[in-house]
Amino acid sequence: MSTYVVTNPATGESGKPYAATTDAQIAAAIDAAHTTHQTWSKSTTVAQRAEMIEKVAQLPRDRRDTLAEIIVREMGKPLAQAYGEVDFSADIYSFYATNGERYLADEAIPEFEGDGTAIIRRSSLGALIGIMPWNYPYYQVARFAGPNLLLGNTIILKHASNCPESALAQEQIFRDAGLPDGAYVNLFGGVVQSATADAVLDCIIDNTLPRDQVNDLCIISLVWIDPGCIALEKEGKLDKADMYKNNYDATKLAIKRALNDEPS
């Protein structure tokens, strides 16, 4: 099993080693996330999930000092900025917990003609994978995990390789807030085989959508994989995204590289 060690960018001191996630562990995470979506997500209401997300919001405030000190050590963020990120992330969770029911309420279609009624209903898709960057270890997770868990999606999250301690701290917060096993699963980077990339790609869409739609969803996760996709988010460039959109194999390879922390 491979391991990696994070070096404090300010002091040069090395932290403890972290073991990379194995293919078997990834497969187990996918199974857990899928099962939890089929059970917990489909048996709870938005209001019930909102209560849990509000607990998620409170725990970073309670652990503010510890969480801020972690990202100072991991990626060199100044302490004042680290506190700001912890606070902002907590506020993001609170925002969705407070407003989720209103945002996700059924929306009537007034132009519907004929007998009966028609509505727009927003429902979960299944297990989603998020591949996170290093520069905002808490904020990036909050804006991804908060609304998706509220909607009922389950989360498999692979953080940047220099953020293992903050990744574990966030996973613990979701557990302590009462979310069940499989609702939010942390993975560490490691050598991922092609078969695992297939499984990860399948879990993104919960085996429910055709391949052309698979890749549309993958664009969200691919934003942080390589410069072309970063350009998609930051500058509106679509060239690299277009390459992935209709190419299942290219999308799978990009996910594999991202999980392995490999350059594209």
Side-chain angles (χ1 to χ4, degrees), residues 219-220 222-223 227-238 241:
I219 295 301
I220 299 170
L222 290 170
V223 163
C229 288
I230 292 174
L232 166 67
E233 182 178 70
K234 293 187 175 181
E235 300 174 17
K237 297 179 180 177
L238 300 176

Side-chain angles (χ1 to χ4, degrees), residues 8-173:
N8 185 321
T11 66
E13 296 177 353
S14 296
K16 71 176 185 178
Y18 288 85
T21 305
T22 65
D23 277 9
Q25 290 170 325
I26 293 174
I30 292 170
D31 287 343
H34 174 77
T35 298
T36 299
H37 177 257
Q38 296 298 316
T39 55
W40 171 76
S41 296
K42 294 188 176 182
S43 63
T44 54
T45 64
V46 173
Q48 289 170 324
R49 295 192 294 272
E51 289 182 9
M52 294 183 181
I53 297 303
E54 186 55 50
K55 292 178 182 176
V56 171
Q58 185 55 47
L59 289 172
R61 296 172 179 136
D62 297 340
R63 303 171 188 180
R64 187 171 182 259
D65 291 340
T66 298
L67 293 175
E69 290 165 2
I70 288 173
I71 58 175
V72 169
R73 288 195 301 270
E74 284 187 331
M75 42 78 69
K77 182 159 290 193
L79 185 59
Q81 293 182 23
Y83 278 124
E85 184 176 343
V86 172
D87 295 342
F88 187 30
S89 300
D91 289 345
I92 289 172
Y93 289 119
S94 277
F95 174 84
Y96 285 110
T98 301
N99 296 288
E101 280 192 278
R102 177 165 59 90
Y103 289 158
L104 297 176
D106 289 347
E107 182 180 342
I109 301 177
E111 293 81 7
F112 182 79
E113 296 181 359
D115 296 333
T117 59
I119 62 172
I120 298 171
R121 174 166 294 171
R122 298 163 181 85
S123 302
S124 60
L125 290 173
L128 306 180
I129 184 168
I131 300 170
M132 295 293 124
W134 61 270
N135 53 343
Y136 291 96
Y138 301 131
Y139 160 72
Q140 295 287 4
V141 174
R143 70 177 191 161
F144 169 64
N148 274 301
L149 286 166
L150 185 68
L151 181 59
N153 292 315
T154 53
I155 303 298
I156 300 171
L157 193 129
K158 186 268 177 190
H159 219 311
S161 59
N162 62 330
C163 299
E165 193 176 358
S166 55
L168 287 177
Q170 290 176 94
E171 183 181 48
Q172 190 62 50
I173 283 173

